[in-house]
Every structure is written in C-alpha cells, then in structure tokens.
Amino acid sequence: MNETISHDRRFPPALAAVAQVEFDYDDGEGVDFEPYRAFDSAEETTDWLCLWTGNRELGGDAYRIFGQDGAGGLAALWCVRPGQPLDAQPVVFMGSEGEVGIVAGNLSDFVWVLADGFGPREAALDWEREPRPDAALADLAQRHATTARRPAREIVTEAQAEFATYSDDVDALCR
C-alpha cells in the first residue's frame, strides 16, 4: 500500500462539505446516512474490521470510515489505488449484518450518487429504489465533483464492474 495513502487521515473537502448535511431518513423513503466530521481513527478502524470479519490478524489501513447508516453499517473509502489520493479511492459500504457493496468509483462520483438521492447503503444494495434528486446536494456536488454528473445507477454499475470481486475479497478476510 502506498505510504501516503496508508497514513493519510485528512478529510477531503468534498467529505467535509457532506459532513455538514443533515440527511432526512423520511421513514425509510429518504437517505439513511449519518456522515462523520472526521475519519475514524486507525485504531478504531482496525478494531472494527477485526470484529466485523472475526479476523484478528487484519489491519484497517485500507479503509477510511466516514459515515454510517442507522443500523450501524459503515461507509468508507477503500484505499486500493496505489499512488492515488483519498478522493480517487472507491467508496464502499459494509453493513451491520455482513452486507458489502461498492458505492462509487471515487469520491467525486459519490457526491453525485448522494445528489441523486441515494445513501451508501441504498446505492450498494437497493436497486429497486427510485432516484430522489436533491437540489442542495446537486449544488454541493457541482462545487466539489471533478467528474461529470451521471445517474447514480450508472455510477454504481460502473464501479461495481470495476471492482467485481469486492464481495468475494471481503468474504476471504472473514474467519
């Protein structure tokens, strides 16, 4: 793993902006996402990953946890692109019941997913959900995104194709 990435815990500007947003759950019809104002510490991430997988030999360097859903599932940047900054890393979801999924190929695409009305859990796992565009989040995305606006389903499908083995890779870590 790239040393710059493995130790970088500075919140990218787009995540700092997302952290200021209050997401409306709307009795299950809205977005179930609670963004953090900073990444979990390396120690917290390692402890959580070891408990979640049952594998005490893991380290948490590959993840930067930046939010959760109401059930305790976590949204994170997955640091798998060596030499690339945090905002170029894919966004993943790891659910409280063992669900996993790719949300977006990078942080820029993630803010477009949010603008389309999908939180991390909904984007990774709920394909039946209809988009619910949010004008304030679209404005946030326009200020921070470096990628063009696209529908959330297109972003998620593209990222899931790029990281098609993610679920299997995570399963292989579990004991």
Side-chain angles (χ1 to χ4, degrees):
M1 171 122 357
N2 179 293
E3 284 298 310
T4 304
I5 292 174
S6 69
H7 297 293
D8 189 359
R9 294 207 168 264
R10 293 169 293 171
F11 234 36
L15 278 183
V18 168
Q20 302 302 314
V21 175
E22 257 190 65
F23 290 86
D24 185 5
Y25 182 59
D26 193 22
D27 294 322
E29 299 298 318
V31 175
D32 186 8
F33 180 50
E34 301 167 23
Y36 298 168
R37 297 192 185 275
F39 292 121
D40 278 354
S41 72
E43 295 79 18
E44 290 170 314
T45 301
T46 295
D47 288 347
W48 171 81
L49 188 61
C50 289
L51 287 171
W52 192 82
T53 61
N55 185 345
R56 301 298 302 167
E57 297 173 16
L58 294 176
D61 281 350
Y63 295 95
R64 298 293 177 278
I65 298 170
F66 64 85
Q68 69 180 41
D69 68 5
L74 300 177
L77 295 175
W78 180 36
C79 300
V80 295
R81 291 187 170 129
Q84 297 296 309
L86 289 176
D87 58 4
Q89 304 300 329
V91 176
V92 298
F93 176 78
M94 300 172 91
S96 61
E97 300 297 320
E99 320 89 324
V100 297
I102 297 290
V103 177
N106 57 56
L107 190 53
S108 180
D109 282 346
F110 175 65
V111 294
W112 287 121
V113 168
L114 292 174
D116 218 9
F118 292 85
R121 177 181 189 63
E122 296 93 3
L125 305 174
D126 188 1
W127 284 101
E128 300 300 314
R129 181 186 176 88
E130 289 298 317
R132 295 181 68 185
D134 182 300
L137 284 168
D139 184 52
L140 182 151
Q142 286 178 332
R143 288 192 316 271
H144 293 280
T146 58
T147 55
R149 184 174 192 161
R150 295 177 290 146
R153 285 194 179 111
E154 181 180 323
I155 291 169
V156 175
T157 299
E158 179 181 290
Q160 288 177 345
E162 181 178 358
F163 300 102
T165 65
Y166 179 66
S167 181
D168 293 336
D169 295 344
V170 171
D171 286 346
L173 299 175
C174 296
R175 301 292 180 253

